[in-house]
Amino acid sequence: MNEILTGRRLAVLRRNTDPRLEWLCAQIARNRFLPVPPPDRVFIGDGDFRAIGAEFLRHFVRVGGLKPKHRVLEIGCGIGRMAVPLTQYLDSSYDGVDIVEDGIRWCAETITPAYPEFRFQTLDVANALYNPGGAEDAARTRLPFPDGGHDFVILTSVITHLRTAETVRYAAEIARVLKPGGRCFLSLFLVDARARDGIARKTARPAFLDAAGPEFIADEANPNAAVAYSESFLLDTFAAQGLRPARPVLRGHWSGQRNAENFQDLLVLEKETAR
């Protein structure tokens, strides 16, 4: 299941894209009436806020299999870069959580009044990069949602800021809140043989330190800034919780992979159904 999607297969994937989805994403990317947070409040990376959100909506649907009826949970929703385009697609509900209170405040004040089914809440979980004074240990956190209440869970560049014990805990919580057959969409850094070679040759970006794994960091002084994981370890961690790849990994170009559409790797996991 963990093969690389070649250029030919990517071309087939693009041809099979629903033209209605392409139209919607194009409209979102250039719709100046959709809200955008002030630049001084954005803490989730650079780039065009609307265009990046539209591109990920395309990924959620085309790669992840997201449907308008799905109940969505976004862990690490930031300041709404994914939530804003989802307002134009979902017919169901959306819950967003993040550890940065200011991002949640902007979402709750800007998105929820127009879309009441979009709800946001802060998790006071400690993270050396984003919430160093957090009261709760990420390795022990429990998401404030019932078992099996969501169809689709999103984590875009979240595992990239979690250490091993935290990642293991989030895997368990994701499995708990997903219904059987539900899916989890992640963007992250997965270290396979090619990526390990890129790390060793110092051609990977971020420039992760060469290590035995399963965890790879780019900055010893600030380890949460960028974290990669051995692919086998990461998949085994989720498999132990009943979450397995729903499709081949879509490789990113961070490690020097050719024919990549995106920067980080894209992984879609599906929760096994009861036998």
Side-chain angles (χ1 to χ4, degrees):
M1 284 298 294
N2 302 314
E3 62 203 276
I4 295 175
L5 289 177
T6 63
R8 179 176 296 179
R9 293 185 63 190
L10 284 172
V12 170
L13 189 60
R14 293 189 189 102
R15 287 199 299 272
N16 290 339
T17 297
D18 187 339
R20 295 170 298 178
L21 174 63
E22 293 302 308
W23 178 88
L24 176 61
C25 290
Q27 294 299 310
I28 290 171
R30 60 173 178 257
N31 186 345
R32 61 187 180 88
F33 295 105
L34 288 175
V36 172
D40 63 343
R41 294 182 69 174
V42 176
F43 58 91
I44 53 174
D46 54 11
D48 186 301
F49 186 88
R50 294 191 188 98
I52 293 172
E55 180 61 22
F56 268 90
L57 174 59
R58 185 182 288 109
H59 290 326
F60 299 152
V61 177
R62 190 183 70 181
V63 179
L66 177 66
K67 305 295 183 185
K69 65 180 181 180
H70 284 164
R71 295 161 297 173
V72 172
L73 166 63
E74 184 177 5
I75 300 172
C77 65
I79 198 162
R81 187 164 60 180
M82 307 304 161
V84 168
L86 284 167
T87 64
Q88 307 303 297
Y89 180 78
L90 291 179
D91 294 330
S92 186
S93 63
Y94 167 101
D95 291 292
V97 296
D98 201 276
I99 63 176
V100 180
E101 185 176 3
D102 188 60
I104 292 295
R105 184 183 302 111
W106 184 88
C107 291
E109 293 174 351
T110 308
I111 300 174
T112 303
Y115 302 94
E117 67 277 16
F118 276 64
R119 303 173 292 261
F120 301 89
Q121 56 183 303
T122 304
L123 302 180
D124 191 18
V125 173
N127 181 275
L129 184 65
Y130 289 109
N131 191 30
E136 188 174 351
D137 182 356
R140 299 181 179 181
T141 191
R142 180 178 175 87
L143 296 171
F145 302 104
D147 297 358
H150 291 88
D151 302 285
F152 200 88
V153 176
I154 295 168
L155 295 90
T156 58
S157 199
V158 173
I159 299 295
T160 57
H161 302 296
L162 299 180
R163 306 301 299 275
T164 299
E166 300 164 348
T167 296
V168 171
R169 179 59 182 170
Y170 271 88
E173 280 297 279
I174 291 165
R176 182 182 65 79
V177 301
L178 268 177
K179 75 170 191 179
R183 289 189 170 187
C184 177
F185 178 104
L186 306 101
S187 70
L188 70 174
F189 302 118
L190 287 175
V191 180
D192 62 355
R194 291 192 182 188
R196 184 177 285 276
D197 184 64
I199 291 172
R201 293 174 179 270
K202 302 189 183 302
T203 57
R205 295 292 180 272
F208 290 106
L209 302 175
D210 199 0
E215 179 186 273
F216 300 80
I217 61 174
D219 183 356
E220 290 181 319
N222 190 12
N224 289 93
V227 184
Y229 283 99
S230 162
E231 182 173 314
S232 59
F233 167 81
L234 195 286
L235 295 183
D236 286 348
T237 296
F238 279 95
Q241 302 296 334
L243 293 163
R244 292 179 170 80
R247 55 168 303 134
V249 175
L250 193 59
R251 305 291 179 183
H253 60 73
W254 71 273
S255 60
Q257 304 280 6
R258 295 183 178 181
N259 301 314
E261 283 191 313
N262 43 279
F263 173 53
Q264 295 181 354
D265 304 314
L266 303 183
L267 173 64
V268 181
L269 302 169
E270 185 169 298
K271 183 176 178 178
E272 60 188 14
T273 57
R275 296 180 180 179

